Amino acid sequence: VPMSEVASYDVIVIGAGPAGYPCAIRAAQNGLKVACIDEWKNYDGTYAFGGTCLNAGCIPSKALLESSELYHRAHSEFSAHGISATGLAFDVATMQKRKAGIVKASTQGITGLFKAAGVTALQGHGKLLAGNRVEYTAADGSKQELVAKHVVLASGSQPMALKTLPFDGKQVVDSWGALEFGAVPKRLGVIGAGVIGLELGSVWRRLGAEVVVLEAMEQFLAMTDQAVAREAQKHFKKQGLDIRLGAKVSGADVRKDGVTLKYTDARGEQAVTVDKVVVAIGRRPFTDGLLGEGTGVKLDERGFIQVDDECHTGAGNVWAVGDVVRGPMLAHKGKEEGVMVGDLIAGLHSEVNYQAVPSVIYTAPEIAWVGQTEEQVKTSGRDYKVGSFPFMASGRARAMEAPAGFCKVIAAKDDDEILGVHIIGPMAGELIAEAVLAMEYSASTEDLQRTMHAHPTLSEALHEAALGADKRAIDFPNR
Ligand code: FAD
Ligand code: NAD
């Protein structure tokens, strides 16, 4: 291609998920000339920005969690308020239509944001070539070479498959497939009791499916504080989620009338037959077709693009952000990385605080945490204190008929700094924001204790937990 015909930019971002699109917008806000390339196609064959998060992850899953939770509450909880609902019914097609509408509005919103920020939005495939050049393949197959001062790789991740149980898109599906069911499966198998397994297992359980979850590890929710994990397990069991721990899938027999999953656990060989199976055993970084010859970009042994703390790859002006690099695979972590790189490229100061990344599991009760678990603090050898407050003792939670769970604050004994906050209960994902802000400012429990919280709110539970760390809680006996 003659140099005069090569379109040139300050920044080209490959991938328009929650890591890539904020990077493109921030770089444009900083006065740079930016293009963003994305190849995501939905089941109907149309291109859409927003990546996994908007099209097949965070947003559609939360839409179905909300619908199914409302049905469940009308069915099982309204009577406690003296409300009777007879002839209660749901229609999966309407739920799915509502979900699709929310996804469409969100993805079209990104097109609008790109336009407003002056980002050139390109739909199709992007491939990094040596010398900061990018090969762009448009929908019609035509290829064009672009050049940029900086290239940001934000290609995301893809579901991992089980060798013994490959996806067939009908009976054996990934998380995206499980968000698209047109009817409630009678018996649903879920492989992996991680975040996806629990959220999507909850959706279909609430709508009436018999749900069996097979988890390879002996420990339930190993990444969470174990007091939270125990509380969660108790509630999920009550809801009818049949979670089988230490279950290693050894094979499967897929027939038209059902899938028989064979697994071994502490008691030996087991089998369970279901109608559909969701495999949710984690995600892998996605770099297929992303890197040409001689780019200098390196992958680690697990396939993640190698970067430093500033998300620089070490190869020329090439950066990488989001699920395709180390760290938790979370939309907000990717967003902050994208924004940081959009600022760093423009010569501004920016950093991501990896010590204060919140995690939320959108089950009922909801689970949220930031910082270290009690087990991690114990292992670190630092002296610590713990304050815990049950929602049972919160007036607002009782008024909401949502008294399950607790808030737990872990702090250093020496200087009172908050080391971790763990919440299981109503609106945990919203409540955790206060703890994230506190940790961002290296707050002590005393800082939280001296902060006024409105009454009656759920946030008082976090306040009381902070007081409890010094045995000064008012609304709960200090132990
Ligand atoms: P992605 O969102 O995967 O986006 C990458 C984009 O790049 C895609 O559009 C892809 O098509 C495109 N692309 C890749 N390679 C190329 C190429 N060579 N050329 C052009 N385009 C390319 N996280 C949360 O924080 N909260 C949640 O509630 C949550 N729920 C989830 C629920 C489910 C069911 C799933 C599957 C995930 C969920 N996640 C959640 C995780 C979240 O979706 C990811 O962490 C997030 O999407 C990662 O963002 P990303 O931009 O790095 O990658
Ligand atoms: P995960 O890592 O959360 O859970 C996978 C689970 O599968 C683990 O418990 C693991 O022990 C188990 N497992 C692995 N191999 C197995 C096997 N062969 N048999 C049985 N069990 C097996 O992964 P996920 O649930 O697939 O989610 C993928 C990513 O998406 C996660 O990183 C998560 O952070 C992100 N996500 C986040 C949210 C949220 O923030 N609310 C929601 C959904 C997904």
Side-chain angles (χ1 to χ4, degrees):
V1 187
M3 228 18 219
S4 57
E5 288 175 27
V6 176
S8 82
Y9 294 90
D10 294 318
V11 185
I12 295 175
V13 182
I14 301 180
Y21 88 78
C23 180
I25 289 176
R26 174 52 58 88
Q29 286 170 346
N30 286 329
L32 302 172
K33 186 181 171 195
V34 184
C36 187
I37 307 174
D38 192 280
E39 67 183 356
W40 185 282
K41 269 190 186 165
N42 278 317
Y43 281 129
D44 63 3
T46 56
Y47 281 107
F49 291 118
T52 306
C53 172
L54 266 58
N55 291 290
C58 321
I59 300 304
S61 61
K62 268 78 251 179
L64 292 184
L65 277 158
E66 191 67 26
S67 298
S68 59
E69 177 67 4
L70 284 178
Y71 172 71
H72 168 77
R73 291 180 61 192
H75 187 273
S76 310
E77 292 176 13
F78 277 15
S79 59
H81 296 264
I83 304 170
S84 53
T86 49
L88 194 66
F90 63 85
D91 175 40
V92 176
T94 307
M95 281 184 191
Q96 291 291 21
K97 208 172 139 200
R98 189 188 85 96
K99 181 204 76 182
I102 293 162
V103 167
K104 195 160 188 187
S106 308
T107 59
Q108 286 178 342
I110 296 193
T111 306
L113 291 173
F114 278 161
K115 222 174 250 163
V119 171
T120 302
L122 301 172
Q123 281 168 318
H125 185 76
K127 181 178 182 178
L128 177 70
L129 308 175
N132 271 24
R133 290 167 307 130
V134 171
E135 179 188 83
Y136 164 55
T137 310
D140 61 5
S142 64
K143 288 186 196 298
Q144 196 189 340
E145 206 167 288
L146 315 172
V147 65
K149 292 184 190 132
H150 294 267
V151 178
V152 184
L153 307 173
S155 53
S157 63
Q158 279 204 332
M160 291 199 284
L162 261 181
K163 275 201 194 81
T164 48
L165 192 62
F167 297 120
D168 64 18
K170 288 198 179 89
Q171 285 168 288
V172 184
V173 300
D174 61 13
S175 53
W176 195 7
L179 286 165
E180 302 289 331
F181 290 157
V184 181
K186 192 173 172 309
R187 300 163 301 177
L188 178 66
V190 178
I191 317 283
V195 191
I196 292 181
L198 293 173
E199 289 185 358
L200 296 184
S202 293
V203 165
W204 297 109
R205 172 70 206 128
R206 290 166 188 168
L207 298 179
E210 292 165 24
V211 178
V212 178
V213 185
L214 301 181
E215 165 60 48
M217 304 234 312
E218 293 286 352
Q219 196 182 11
F220 182 59
L221 281 179
M223 73 280 204
T224 64
D225 188 278
Q226 285 305 291
V228 169
R230 280 191 299 274
E231 177 78 6
Q233 199 174 3
K234 190 177 82 188
H235 290 287
F236 297 155
K237 189 169 177 192
K238 221 186 296 165
Q239 291 161 14
L241 279 179
D242 178 359
I243 300 171
R244 304 183 188 176
L245 299 174
K248 298 191 177 53
V249 178
S250 51
D253 187 7
V254 183
R255 279 168 285 103
K256 274 216 171 65
D257 61 344
V259 180
T260 300
L261 301 167
K262 297 175 200 145
Y263 64 96
T264 51
D265 65 10
R267 289 173 301 147
E269 300 272 329
Q270 311 282 348
V272 59
T273 301
V274 294
D275 299 302
K276 285 183 190 287
V277 188
V278 188
V279 178
I281 56 168
R283 297 174 63 85
R284 63 171 187 88
F286 179 68
T287 53
D288 297 4
L290 179 69
L291 303 170
E293 291 292 311
T295 63
V297 172
K298 292 195 188 79
L299 305 185
D300 70 14
E301 65 284 355
R302 294 162 61 208
F304 290 95
I305 296 177
Q306 282 188 10
V307 288
D308 61 17
D309 281 353
E310 297 191 320
C311 292
H312 190 244
T313 63
N317 285 338
V318 181
W319 311 73
V321 294
D323 279 10
V324 79
V325 304
R326 84 286 172 265
M329 288 183 165
L330 295 172
H332 43 279
K333 173 266 194 185
K335 183 178 191 182
E336 291 309 315
E337 288 180 335
V339 167
M340 170 177 73
V341 169
D343 279 338
L344 290 174
I345 285 174
L348 301 171
H349 170 81
S350 195
E351 59 183 18
V352 169
N353 179 2
Y354 291 98
Q355 307 307 315
V357 180
S359 294
V360 183
I361 308 178
Y362 297 83
T363 46
E366 209 160 271
I367 298 169
W369 71 97
V370 60
Q372 300 177 64
T373 62
E374 184 168 349
E375 293 74 25
Q376 288 167 336
V377 177
K378 203 176 273 172
T379 308
S380 77
R382 191 147 180 207
D383 268 352
Y384 67 94
K385 54 188 180 179
V386 175
S388 208
F389 185 83
F391 282 104
M392 185 81 84
S394 151
R396 185 63 188 278
R398 280 200 306 263
M400 291 168 68
E401 198 65 28
F406 56 84
C407 275
K408 174 174 173 179
V409 174
I410 307 165
K413 256 204 174 135
D414 49 11
D415 64 1
D416 196 32
E417 184 177 354
I418 297 168
L419 302 174
V421 174
H422 304 273
I423 306 176
I424 173 165
M427 309 299 280
E430 304 295 331
L431 295 174
I432 203 68
E434 180 183 357
V436 178
L437 188 69
M439 289 190 65
E440 187 65 41
Y441 283 78
S442 308
S444 60
T445 62
E446 188 185 351
D447 291 322
L448 270 192
Q449 290 169 0
R450 291 187 184 279
T451 303
M452 199 183 292
H453 289 70
H455 176 77
T457 61
L458 297 171
S459 71
E460 288 171 296
L462 182 57
H463 189 214
E464 286 282 324
L467 286 162
D470 289 326
K471 307 214 183 313
R472 293 172 74 78
I474 300 295
D475 292 329
F476 193 65
N478 295 288
R479 273 172 293 169

